[in-house]
Amino acid sequence: MGNLSKLVVLNIRNNNISGTIPPSFADLATVTVFNIRRNSVHGQIPPWLGNLTALKDLNMGGNMMSGDVPPALSKLIKLQFLSLALNNLQGLIPPILFNMSSLELLNFGSNQLSGSLPQDIGSILPNLKRLNLFYNKMEGQIPASLSNTSSLEFINLHGNKFWGRIPSNIGQNGCLTAFEVGNNELQATESRDWDFLSSLANCSNLFVVDLQLNNLSGILPNSIGNLSQKLETLQVGGNQISGHIPSDIGKLSNLRKLFLFRNRYHGEIPLSLGNMSQLNKLILSDNNLEGSIPATFGNLTELISLDLSFNLLSGKIPEEVISISSLAVFLNLSNNLLDGPISPHVGQLANLAIIDFSCNKLSGAIPNTLGTCAELQFLHLQGNILHGKIPKELMALRGLEELDLSNNNLSGPVPEFLESFQLLKNLNLSFNHLSGPVPYKGIFSNPSAVSLTSNGMLCGGPVFFHFPACPYPAHDKLARHKLLHILVFTVVGAFILLCVSIATRCYIKKSRGGARQGQTNIPELFQRMSYAELLLWKIWLAVEASAVYIKGLLVLVQI
């Protein structure tokens, strides 16, 4: 290919090409596009690439390249797009690369590169539109000069070690569509440290703000509600933010993802969150939120995931929430103070994969309607005060992988249908009041997958459970089947004997009635019987005895 002296575009992306970059490519002096992304090319980036000075687009992302980024790439003075993302590159990003003033895209994401951004990056890269350095080992402060790049649209620094305050003027150019700085060590302690939100409010096309997993503290200001109406993702979870969730956040009516988990919010959940009719993921877990779950959540008809776990929420689970039929991934209300029964409307969650209501104060019976949640994979109801039997309707949940009903007041037998659940990996029914025989097959044959401890009236089952033997055969399914077989044969035989005896009695009555009319002396009758007649009377007595035996068997089977 090195002989193609007039080649302008080399685009071999999205293939299964392996090996290293051939040295003959160094002769492609006229190439302007060099795109080998999403292959399996390995080895180091050859420094001679810096000699292909006609290059405008160099994309080597999504390969297996290793080693350092060669400083020689800085000689590509016409380069506009540079992507080395999704490789195994390491070491410092050569500072000289930031002098490539023609760059519009700089994408080094998902490598192991280190170093810091020059504080004057906004001046030396005036044409920069997209800056992607996510998941590296970069550190230092986010340069305030980034706001000087009049065309900057996309900043993704997620997953590094940037520290300090977020520049207050970061969005003053008004062009940002994405600002992703989550999973760093950024700080906010005073109210002025949140001024960057007012700056981002200038960006009318902003659709992603990612601030999660930092060291941001203080109170989230009401100005959060002034962000773009096009905003779809707001991630502020995993910080140290306190105070109330601002009610103005409900103004972001087109938001699809709202993550506020693992902070220090307290007070009630704002009713205004119910105005976000486009939400599909709402995560408010691990806070100190109080009061009841807003019934306005019933307006969130696009919701697929709701997590309110590990808070101090109380009261009943609103029927409006438990009836959100769009829920398809998880509904997690665990570790709160919720009480009352589980509404039968839970059966409307036909597409839901995970239900976790554990560690609350829920009471009443497990709703039979749970059996209509056919897509359930994980059902956690442990740590409540539920009572009654485990509903037989749960036998329809063939996709269950985990079932935890432990630490309740459940009674009745261990359901035999659980033997046939082939996908079930963990079953915990411990600390209840279950009784009767323990099944042998399926998951019950795996001691590490089942917990039945502290159920004082269980018997039988595999020996590793150490339950006592069941006191009578009826508790042994095999013995019960044998008993039923005996019963069937006995009944059939008795029926035949009964027919014979009836015919015999009719015959005796007819024959004796005609020959000895008027004689009713019983001893005399037997004195004059033939041997055949006496045999028929013995058969009749045997039938009577069989009837008594059958009655005894029926009583035994019913025990």
Side-chain angles (χ1 to χ4, degrees):
M1 189 173 289
N3 296 325
L4 301 175
S5 59
K6 296 183 180 181
L7 185 67
V8 175
V9 175
L10 173 62
N11 189 344
I12 51 175
R13 64 183 182 181
N14 299 326
N15 286 287
N16 295 315
I17 299 173
S18 58
T20 60
I21 298 175
S24 60
F25 281 15
D27 297 327
L28 302 176
T30 59
V31 70
T32 60
V33 175
F34 188 101
N35 191 336
I36 62 169
R37 73 183 179 100
R38 294 187 180 179
N39 282 287
S40 299
V41 178
H42 62 269
Q44 296 188 344
I45 299 175
W48 50 255
L49 280 173
N51 298 327
L52 305 181
T53 54
L55 271 178
K56 295 181 179 180
D57 185 346
L58 175 57
N59 192 335
M60 304 171 67
N63 282 283
M64 303 167 63
M65 309 296 295
S66 58
D68 299 331
V69 178
L73 295 182
S74 63
K75 295 188 293 183
L76 303 175
I77 58 175
K78 296 181 181 180
L79 199 64
Q80 298 174 349
F81 307 100
L82 174 59
S83 178
L84 306 178
L86 300 166
N87 279 289
N88 299 314
L89 302 172
Q90 57 188 4
L92 287 170
I93 297 178
I96 196 172
L97 292 186
F98 294 108
N99 293 330
M100 302 169 68
S101 59
S102 59
L103 275 182
E104 297 181 14
L105 178 145
L106 179 59
N107 187 357
F108 289 170
S110 195
N111 282 285
Q112 302 177 48
L113 297 169
S114 57
S116 60
L117 293 174
Q119 291 303 303
D120 60 348
I121 186 173
S123 301
I124 57 181
L125 294 178
N127 298 307
L128 193 63
K129 293 182 178 179
R130 300 175 68 91
L131 176 62
N132 285 340
L133 297 175
F134 59 92
Y135 290 117
N136 276 286
K137 298 179 179 180
M138 304 292 293
E139 56 186 3
Q141 294 183 304
I142 297 176
S145 65
L146 281 173
S147 61
N148 297 331
T149 54
S150 58
S151 301
L152 189 60
E153 300 174 357
F154 199 101
I155 298 177
N156 190 343
L157 308 179
H158 185 103
N160 283 281
K161 297 181 180 180
F162 288 103
W163 51 269
R165 292 172 174 81
I166 298 173
S168 59
N169 60 349
I170 192 66
Q172 72 177 10
N173 70 1
C175 295
L176 280 180
T177 59
F179 182 63
E180 302 182 54
V181 294
N183 199 5
N184 279 284
E185 299 174 6
L186 300 170
Q187 300 170 330
T189 55
E190 302 176 5
S191 59
R192 65 178 182 176
D193 296 337
W194 289 95
D195 288 348
F196 68 90
L197 288 176
S198 298
S199 176
L200 290 175
N202 296 322
C203 303
S204 58
N205 293 315
L206 191 66
F207 70 90
V208 176
V209 173
D210 172 18
L211 307 173
Q212 67 182 1
L213 302 174
N214 278 289
N215 297 319
L216 304 177
S217 60
I219 297 175
L220 189 66
N222 283 327
S223 59
I224 193 80
N226 297 329
L227 293 175
S228 170
Q229 285 297 303
K230 295 182 180 180
L231 194 68
E232 296 183 0
T233 300
L234 177 58
Q235 301 181 161
V236 198
N239 284 285
Q240 303 168 33
I241 304 171
S242 57
H244 294 257
I245 297 175
S247 59
D248 284 3
I249 205 170
K251 295 179 181 178
L252 304 174
S253 56
N254 289 307
L255 208 61
R256 295 183 179 273
K257 297 178 183 178
L258 177 58
F259 294 175
L260 302 179
F261 63 89
R262 209 189 316 151
N263 278 287
R264 299 175 182 174
Y265 296 114
H266 59 82
E268 296 187 352
I269 299 174
L271 299 179
S272 62
L273 294 190
N275 298 332
M276 299 177 173
S277 58
Q278 302 302 310
L279 268 183
N280 57 44
K281 293 182 180 179
L282 176 58
I283 314 296
L284 306 180
S285 57
D286 290 274
N287 283 287
N288 296 309
L289 298 170
E290 303 167 341
S292 58
I293 300 173
T296 56
F297 280 7
N299 299 328
L300 307 180
T301 55
E302 300 293 325
L303 205 62
I304 61 173
S305 299
L306 175 61
D307 191 347
L308 306 179
S309 62
F310 290 94
N311 279 289
L312 302 172
L313 300 171
S314 58
K316 296 181 179 180
I317 302 174
E319 290 192 359
E320 293 86 351
V321 172
I322 214 167
S323 304
I324 303 175
S325 58
S326 60
L327 286 168
V329 181
F330 56 77
L331 174 58
N332 191 347
L333 307 179
S334 66
N335 292 276
N336 279 286
L337 303 172
L338 300 170
D339 55 28
I342 301 173
S343 169
H345 287 90
V346 71
Q348 297 183 30
L349 305 178
N351 300 311
L352 191 57
I354 301 172
I355 291 179
D356 192 345
F357 294 166
S358 63
C359 300
N360 280 286
K361 299 180 179 180
L362 300 173
S363 57
I366 298 174
N368 297 339
T369 52
L370 267 174
T372 62
C373 300
E375 300 298 322
L376 265 186
Q377 299 174 22
F378 301 86
L379 177 58
H380 290 255
L381 302 179
Q382 71 270 21
N384 286 286
I385 48 177
L386 300 170
H387 62 77
K389 296 182 178 181
I390 299 173
K392 64 180 183 300
E393 287 78 6
L394 297 190
M395 71 172 62
L397 305 181
R398 297 288 177 176
L400 273 184
E401 297 181 24
E402 290 186 10
L403 176 61
D404 195 337
L405 306 179
S406 62
N407 289 279
N408 279 286
N409 293 320
L410 300 173
S411 57
V414 176
E416 290 186 5
F417 61 75
L418 293 174
E419 286 183 321
S420 62
F421 280 23
Q422 297 182 357
L423 300 179
L424 194 59
K425 299 175 182 176
N426 291 288
L427 174 63
N428 192 346
L429 304 179
S430 61
F431 294 93
N432 280 289
H433 305 294
L434 302 176
S435 60
V438 174
Y440 283 85
K441 299 178 182 178
I443 193 171
F444 295 98
S445 64
N446 184 353
S448 63
V450 182
S451 179
L452 299 173
T453 57
S454 295
N455 283 283
M457 301 179 67
L458 292 176
C459 65
V463 293
F464 52 76
F465 285 124
H466 302 294
F467 291 126
C470 295
Y472 29 74
H475 280 185
D476 187 315
K477 188 163 69 171
L478 294 176
R480 188 160 65 247
H481 285 172
K482 291 180 181 178
L483 191 61
L484 288 174
H485 288 158
I486 294 172
L487 178 60
V488 169
F489 286 118
T490 303
V491 169
V492 172
F495 178 75
I496 295 172
L497 289 174
L498 183 61
C499 292
V500 172
S501 67
I502 291 172
T504 301
R505 294 186 68 176
C506 291
Y507 171 77
I508 292 172
K509 184 176 180 182
K510 182 177 179 181
S511 61
R512 290 301 177 190
R516 301 291 184 187
Q517 220 173 24
Q519 297 182 11
T520 58
N521 190 296
I522 298 300
E524 184 179 354
L525 175 65
F526 276 101
Q527 290 175 5
R528 302 191 180 199
M529 276 185 178
S530 66
Y531 176 77
E533 291 171 340
L534 183 60
L535 179 61
L536 290 173
W537 273 109
K538 288 182 178 181
I539 291 174
W540 169 251
L541 292 175
V543 170
E544 294 291 339
S546 297
V548 173
Y549 177 64
I550 292 168
K551 290 179 181 178
L553 286 176
L554 288 173
V555 171
L556 183 59
V557 170
Q558 291 172 355
I559 293 178

